[in-house]
Amino acid sequence: MGNETGMICVRVEPELKSQAEAVFSELGLSPTEAITLFYTQVTLHRGLPFAVGIPNAETIGAQRQARAGEGLTEYADLEDLKTKHD
């Protein structure tokens, strides 16, 4: 690769942009470096470098329950969990 660069222009919601750039900063990356890293991984994987799928109805239902706090069991600690599941 030479020293030439290409320009990428995208529109992203301001809140998402801010949150992502905060994570990049914690990782010591600029937004340009993060996007370059993503493009590099896409090229190496010949696809997205993470799983992307549409959840089935059962998974969607479980996600809704978890968000609503339904059907969750709380344990005091790991020993409590082990005791109740032996």
Side-chain angles (χ1 to χ4, degrees):
M1 289 186 200
N3 291 332
E4 296 179 27
T5 60
M7 177 81 67
I8 299 171
C9 295
V10 297
R11 293 186 185 276
V12 180
E13 293 177 10
E15 182 70 18
L16 175 61
K17 180 179 181 290
S18 176
Q19 290 174 353
E21 289 179 358
V23 173
F24 298 155
S25 178
E26 286 185 49
L27 294 170
L29 296 170
S30 70
T32 297
E33 291 167 327
I35 292 168
T36 300
L37 179 61
F38 175 72
Y39 270 57
T40 301
Q41 288 299 306
V42 167
T43 302
L44 291 172
H45 287 266
R46 299 195 43 77
L48 293 177
F50 45 80
V52 176
I54 299 171
N56 62 28
E58 183 178 355
T59 300
I60 291 170
Q63 290 170 335
R64 283 188 185 131
Q65 279 186 315
R67 284 189 200 105
E70 298 170 1
L72 301 178
T73 304
E74 290 188 30
Y75 299 96
D77 54 31
L78 182 57
E79 289 305 315
D80 186 31
L81 170 72
K82 288 179 182 179
T83 302
K84 291 182 178 168
H85 284 280
D86 282 340

